[in-house]
Amino acid sequence: MTDFETVLERFKTRRSRNSSPATVDRYARHVCNWREWLSENRGKSLWNTDEVDLRVFIEEQTDDGLAPTTISQRVSAISKFYQDCNKLAERYDMPEVPENPYDGLDKGDKALLRGNTKKKDGLKDSNTDEYPYLEPEKIGELVENVPAPRLRNELIIKLLFNCGFRRGELANAKIGHIDREDRSVYIPPQKSSEGRHVAYNKEYLGFQLTQWLDHGGRDSMTYATDSDYLFPTNDNEHLSPDYINTIVKQAAENAELQETINEYADGRAIHKVTAHTIRHSFAMAQLNAGVDVRTLQTLLGHDELDTTLIYLQQSKEEAKEASRAFQPGV
């Protein structure tokens, strides 16, 4: 049976007929990320997926705040991969290629690719910012109300807020990515073309980090000795991105900060406070501290400045609203 690397190279060769090398490499990267996402989040391979998986993938990307154009590019690459695999199967020994999952999407699914989301509608109905965030004191309430194990989950929320991690980035963070002498974290590329270095505040999260790494917190996990990851578990080498989201949602429920703003077609609730809400909170805190938008782009790992500008626009809108409350003396 042909292995994935061989199939990917044949896909790239086929795509190179009409696309530039940079575009072909981008297609391949999106396919590799899709393959990894299927394995980690759905327990599936490229060869046994369907439109339901792609729908959940799109919903998660949307909830993570990615621009519709970015998500559309990724979905387009995935669709092209399955189109080409069916052609390649006519010439080569291939795994049994499923139907193109994109072909099974309905109008509502494709509306997500245009930026029409139930989460956005729900936020409008609740008079909440399109990109909700929490003030630092509310993040503190999340930390105080994490579910067990407390040490690990306190550290997770503090790292999300202090460093602006995406949940997938934090799930895949390794011990070697942390430079405790420099007090910084290297975040490898996941949804961008380059990795980034972000400093952390030792006074803010140093205690939890030290307890986790040096005083038995991490070592209490079954997979600790066999894993290079920062957060191994009793069942796997590292936490899943979905489980990190579950920790945040539960902390928000415990702190009475959670709100259900809508639901997906399959009945799953869409929550206001998620792991990505903490990333939004990081971004807004940086802007409020005077960080310029180009620096924020680097800290967030955004390829496109337009993605970062949503925070600047929201900050300006809030400043305008605050000015309405100003009552000058007479």
Side-chain angles (χ1 to χ4, degrees), residues 234-260:
N234 290 325
D235 304 304
N236 211 326
E237 282 191 308
H238 64 83
L239 284 172
S240 71
D242 280 350
Y243 196 72
I244 288 177
N245 217 24
T246 298
I247 291 167
V248 174
K249 290 178 182 179
Q250 186 59 59
E253 289 282 357
N254 295 346
E256 299 183 352
L257 296 174
Q258 191 58 280
E259 181 181 342
T260 299

Side-chain angles (χ1 to χ4, degrees), residues 18 37-39 49 66 74 88 94 120 123 149 151 154 160 178 193 200-201 203 208 216 247 266 279 330:
N18 300 305
W37 182 88
L38 281 171
S39 176
T49 186
L66 271 72
R74 295 175 180 184
L88 292 169
M94 291 274 292
K120 185 182 292 185
L123 290 169
L151 174 64
E154 287 176 1
L160 288 169
I178 299 175
S193 58
Y200 67 82
N201 186 317
E203 293 183 1
Q208 285 85 359
I247 291 167
D266 60 5
R279 182 168 154 86
V330 292

Side-chain angles (χ1 to χ4, degrees), residues 135-153:
E135 298 288 350
E137 60 269 19
K138 297 298 183 183
I139 299 293
E141 291 181 30
L142 291 185
V143 173
E144 291 174 2
N145 286 278
V146 293
R150 288 196 57 84
L151 174 64
R152 183 197 69 185
N153 295 342

Side-chain angles (χ1 to χ4, degrees), residues 262-279:
N262 212 324
E263 65 177 33
Y264 292 117
D266 60 5
R268 287 179 297 125
I270 301 176
H271 292 102
K272 175 183 174 181
V273 180
T274 65
H276 210 70
T277 307
I278 302 182
R279 182 168 154 86

Side-chain angles (χ1 to χ4, degrees), residues 30-59:
H30 291 330
V31 171
C32 289
N33 289 340
W34 165 241
R35 178 174 179 250
E36 181 179 349
W37 182 88
L38 281 171
S39 176
E40 291 189 355
N41 295 276
R42 306 291 284 178
K44 292 187 175 184
S45 75
L46 290 168
W47 316 118
N48 68 342
T49 186
D50 57 29
E51 71 275 6
V52 175
D53 302 314
L54 187 58
R55 181 179 300 123
V56 174
F57 176 79
I58 294 170
E59 289 170 350

Side-chain angles (χ1 to χ4, degrees), residues 115-141:
N116 303 328
T117 71
K118 290 187 175 183
K119 183 167 188 176
K120 185 182 292 185
D121 291 342
L123 290 169
K124 287 179 180 177
D125 292 342
S126 64
N127 296 316
T128 302
D129 292 322
E130 184 174 337
Y131 300 96
Y133 69 96
L134 300 175
E135 298 288 350
E137 60 269 19
K138 297 298 183 183
I139 299 293
E141 291 181 30

